[in-house]
Amino acid sequence: MPELHPPSLVRALLWRQPVLWVNPHWRAMTGARFGGRLGLSTVEATERQLQQFAPLLIRLFPELQDSGGIIESALYPADGLQRTLARSANVTGRWLLKADHALPIAGSIKARGAFYEVLLHAYQVAHAAGLIEPDGDMTTLASPVTRALFGAHEISVGSTGNLGLAVGILAAALGFKATVHMSVEAKAWKKTRLRARGVEVIEHSGDFGEAVAAGRRQAEAIRNTYFVDDEQSMALFLGYSVAALRLKPQLEQLGVTVDEDHPLFVYLPCGVGGSPGGITFGLRHVFGDHVHCFFAEPTACPGMLVRLASSSDQPPTLKDLGLNARTEADGLAVAKPSELVASLVHSLVSGIFTVSDEDLFEDLYHLEVTERMQIEPSAAAGFRGPRWLLESDAGAAYLANHGLSAERATHLLWTTGGALVPAEEYRGFHERGKGIARNQWI
Ligand SMILES: *Cc1c(COP(=O)(O)O)cnc(C)c1O
């Protein structure tokens, strides 16, 4: 039997029972330690760089004019969804939605990280060729000269879908050759859309980890090829983290206080870990111990949970637990999480819960009915978070240990993808969710 803490976890995971695991490695911010000088100043420096790239993004994507070239999503109250999903009287507090499913251009949470890494690389290639200086005008990177240069360079990435879309769209817009290595879970429409943009799509019969490994190998062998490495990219991680800085004024605008008496709970779908990890890193640096970040993973694929709940330096694989990582949540279909992210969030994340595919579709449907928003299954993974926290023994223990009152809490559900889902595809999600929701009410 694989070893996990608590030991009862093994049985629950094996039987695919949804669970909430509370992180025993959690530390107050004053005790948290990171490698090097990584901290709030790193997140702020990343935000300044993105500001510097903003005019370039407007040049490439004129629809970003209104947002000043900044890729950001809105924060909404979710009263309707709260009324539907919070069935018991115990579920108090206020629910909000962070609408990354509608992030411009890429339509998923991957946009911040992927765009940051591709922009940095474009700058570095142009800088090495003597075409731009650090404080230069970044719109130069959209000039005919840099375009010709980028045409001799390639950017590649391994992806279950959305990272490939984000990297591929921007790389192609800048004039790079772009290649996306896709795993079996990748949806056909994501491949079609990339190919329509001139991106080369290479399909692998293996899982996400194998697609990444194949892409990494190929990039190493080919000159002038840069690989966006989802399993070990600091640039992706930092690109994601800026969401925390931007959330602060959005909360203020909605009149939401975050302090000792008003805890903020954030529920983030987790695949390889980069996007929830980067955001958690940013949030803990901005809100300290008043923010509590929980990751959500499919019951078929709890890679990060197994990694963090194992005390062994050789954590069990999903296979050891009899799990096959097959899930309709393609964005979360990652068997092995990023080691880099696991080590960075080890003491920052409050816990991880799992969710069945059925629940994803049901919740996606409730969101459509109550808030008129359309998301993909992965993006609904966090919706059971408030109930885990407020209605389970593990959740009650977490609140008690941290001395938290749920009365004045804010629960933030992070919707991570969906805007680019074709109508036909969405109809399938809708029908499946509706069928499940109907059965629930009988
Ligand atoms: C990629 C993705 C996630 C998870 O991000 P990771 O960095 O892989 O952990 C969540 N939701 C959607 C829709 C995604 O595409």
Side-chain angles (χ1 to χ4, degrees), residues 168-182:
I169 288 170
L170 181 57
L174 284 162
F176 284 96
K177 278 191 282 186
T179 303
V180 178
H181 297 266
M182 285 192 148

Side-chain angles (χ1 to χ4, degrees), residues 61-112:
F61 306 104
E63 61 265 49
L64 292 177
Q65 186 79 49
D66 288 349
S67 66
I70 294 299
I71 306 274
E72 197 41 73
S73 70
L75 180 69
Y76 299 105
D79 303 350
L81 186 70
Q82 176 170 5
R83 271 193 301 275
T84 302
L85 288 188
R87 274 168 225 156
S88 95
N90 296 337
V91 180
T92 53
R94 184 177 187 196
W95 291 25
L96 303 177
L97 280 169
K98 178 65 175 156
D100 272 11
H101 66 281
L103 273 183
I105 318 296
S108 84
I109 194 165
K110 299 298 191 308
R112 293 187 200 85

Side-chain angles (χ1 to χ4, degrees), residues 3-326:
E3 265 190 57
L4 294 179
H5 297 280
S8 59
L9 189 57
V10 175
R11 180 176 296 266
L13 294 180
L14 216 72
W15 286 99
R16 297 193 181 204
Q17 279 163 356
V19 287
L20 166 63
W21 170 80
V22 169
N23 182 10
H25 315 294
W26 185 95
R27 293 285 172 273
M29 275 315 275
T30 46
R33 292 279 175 275
F34 307 101
R37 262 186 248 110
L38 218 51
L40 182 60
S41 59
T42 334
V43 181
E44 288 168 341
T46 304
E47 173 65 21
R48 280 196 299 278
Q49 285 176 308
L50 285 168
Q51 296 282 351
Q52 213 185 336
F53 283 121
L56 169 64
L57 285 181
I58 295 177
R59 179 75 62 89
L60 295 171
F61 306 104
E63 61 265 49
L64 292 177
Q65 186 79 49
D66 288 349
S67 66
I70 294 299
I71 306 274
E72 197 41 73
S73 70
L75 180 69
Y76 299 105
D79 303 350
L81 186 70
Q82 176 170 5
R83 271 193 301 275
T84 302
L85 288 188
R87 274 168 225 156
S88 95
N90 296 337
V91 180
T92 53
R94 184 177 187 196
W95 291 25
L96 303 177
L97 280 169
K98 178 65 175 156
D100 272 11
H101 66 281
L103 273 183
I105 318 296
S108 84
I109 194 165
K110 299 298 191 308
R112 293 187 200 85
F115 278 28
Y116 177 61
E117 180 152 5
V118 170
L119 289 167
L120 266 190
H121 179 65
Y123 165 79
Q124 278 154 0
V125 169
H127 180 65
L131 294 174
I132 188 152
E133 290 307 310
D135 51 359
D137 172 3
M138 293 299 160
T139 58
T140 307
L141 301 180
S143 67
V145 183
T146 47
R147 238 193 134 67
L149 173 69
F150 295 156
H153 287 253
E154 178 169 334
I155 296 181
S156 80
V157 61
S159 172
T160 64
N162 287 337
L163 183 64
L165 276 177
V167 168
I169 288 170
L170 181 57
L174 284 162
F176 284 96
K177 278 191 282 186
T179 303
V180 178
H181 297 266
M182 285 192 148
S183 53
V184 278
E185 304 86 11
K187 301 288 174 196
W189 69 265
K190 292 184 182 175
K191 297 176 199 163
T192 308
R193 187 173 286 249
L194 279 169
R195 290 190 171 118
R197 296 240 179 188
V199 174
E200 184 175 357
V201 176
I202 300 178
E203 299 175 51
H204 296 273
S205 55
D207 71 4
F208 171 79
E210 291 169 39
V212 169
R216 195 186 288 134
R217 264 198 313 277
Q218 209 174 84
E220 276 165 6
I222 305 174
R223 232 169 68 85
N224 287 349
T225 297
Y226 177 83
F227 184 63
V228 175
D229 197 329
D230 203 9
E231 285 181 354
Q232 41 194 326
S233 166
M234 203 58 218
L236 282 177
F237 186 84
L238 289 175
Y240 294 132
S241 74
V242 301
L245 299 176
R246 298 161 179 186
L247 184 67
K248 195 164 190 266
Q250 290 185 317
L251 285 166
E252 286 163 7
Q253 213 152 41
L254 289 182
V256 173
T257 306
V258 180
D259 61 19
E260 195 154 358
D261 299 321
H262 302 83
L264 172 64
F265 298 97
V266 182
Y267 307 99
L268 295 148
C270 176
V272 75
S275 71
I279 290 171
T280 295
F281 183 86
L283 288 173
R284 288 295 308 276
H285 280 89
V286 171
F287 296 106
D289 301 335
H290 305 319
V291 67
H292 306 269
C293 301
F294 290 85
F295 294 176
E297 296 190 300
T299 48
C301 198
M304 185 64 88
L305 167 46
V306 170
R307 167 65 182 79
L308 293 183
S310 166
S311 50
S312 160
D313 50 9
Q314 297 245 299
T317 63
L318 292 190
K319 234 193 200 140
D320 295 338
L321 290 159
L323 298 172
N324 62 9
R326 288 294 161 85

